[in-house]
Amino acid sequence: MSAKLWNSSNDKRVRTLRILLQATSNGSRLPQHHGMPTRLLDWTESILAAAFFAVEAAGTRGDAVISGVRGLRQISQSNEKRPFNAKTPGIYRPPHITSRIPAQRSVFTLHPNPTEKFAPVGLQRWVIARDTCVGIKRVLDACGINESSLFPDLIGLSRYLGWRYKWGKFEVE
């Protein structure tokens, strides 16, 4: 797609992709929402989704942590057009260009310097003990918060079914 098309379109989907691609270190790759490191941090407005992502590896990497913050500014329209000009971190609420964004209640924070530690006033952390992660993941699954609901595509369904088979969760209890 040409740069002229990216810069001239008023379509929210095109503007969102432009923001995501411009905020990456290499705009020719897929956005961070598919695993690419960028100047964006991926957040959720759902405490249940946050809990799922925290315990997703079920304690295999130590304790799980949920981080939360309030009161960050919304990024300006000029920062939407030129994300590299941002001077302070801000929240970007993307339109629902993929099914994962609404399923996860996704928002992003845009950071002017990706190497700087993000530690705003009011940042809170909740630690979940390693030995409770598996149990929490099972409770979240019972509440419908799992790979399949948060990643509503073939990849999410496949990972979810693989997890269910691994733990023998297809038996009627």
Side-chain angles (χ1 to χ4, degrees):
M1 195 172 278
S2 74
K4 183 176 181 181
L5 178 60
W6 283 105
N7 291 327
S8 65
S9 176
N10 286 328
D11 184 328
K12 269 192 156 240
R13 291 171 298 181
V14 171
R15 284 198 324 259
T16 296
L17 287 173
R18 185 177 70 236
I19 288 166
L20 295 175
L21 291 172
Q22 285 179 348
T24 65
S25 59
N26 179 347
S28 67
R29 299 177 190 210
L30 288 175
Q32 183 251 358
H33 210 74
H34 292 277
M36 183 176 148
T38 71
R39 295 165 17 106
L40 299 170
L41 280 179
D42 197 354
W43 297 78
T44 178
E45 294 180 310
S46 165
I47 190 65
L48 295 177
F52 174 83
F53 290 121
V55 302
E56 183 176 17
T60 59
R61 291 178 255 159
D63 294 340
V65 177
I66 298 174
S67 297
V69 66
R70 288 198 270 181
L72 293 179
R73 70 176 183 84
Q74 298 285 323
I75 67 167
S76 66
Q77 286 186 341
S78 66
N79 286 154
E80 281 190 30
K81 293 178 183 168
R82 291 183 172 70
F84 286 116
N85 293 344
K87 301 295 183 212
T88 60
I91 296 173
Y92 175 64
R93 296 179 189 285
H96 300 168
I97 60 170
T98 75
S99 58
R100 292 178 176 192
I101 291 172
Q104 297 173 10
R105 297 198 49 208
S106 293
V107 296
F108 295 96
T109 49
L110 173 67
H111 299 266
N113 184 348
T115 61
E116 240 176 59
K117 183 178 178 181
F118 182 57
V121 173
L123 180 68
Q124 296 192 351
R125 294 170 39 107
W126 297 272
V127 177
I128 301 168
R130 177 184 190 158
D131 60 342
T132 63
C133 289
V134 171
I136 290 172
K137 190 170 181 181
R138 288 184 179 143
V139 169
L140 289 167
D141 181 48
C143 295
I145 306 297
N146 53 49
E147 293 271 358
S148 181
S149 65
L150 295 173
F151 299 91
D153 50 30
L154 185 56
I155 293 168
L157 177 60
S158 298
R159 289 191 313 212
Y160 175 66
L161 291 175
W163 177 76
R164 297 282 301 208
Y165 274 114
K166 178 180 178 180
W167 297 103
K169 297 302 271 179
F170 283 100
E171 300 169 11
V172 177
E173 296 179 9

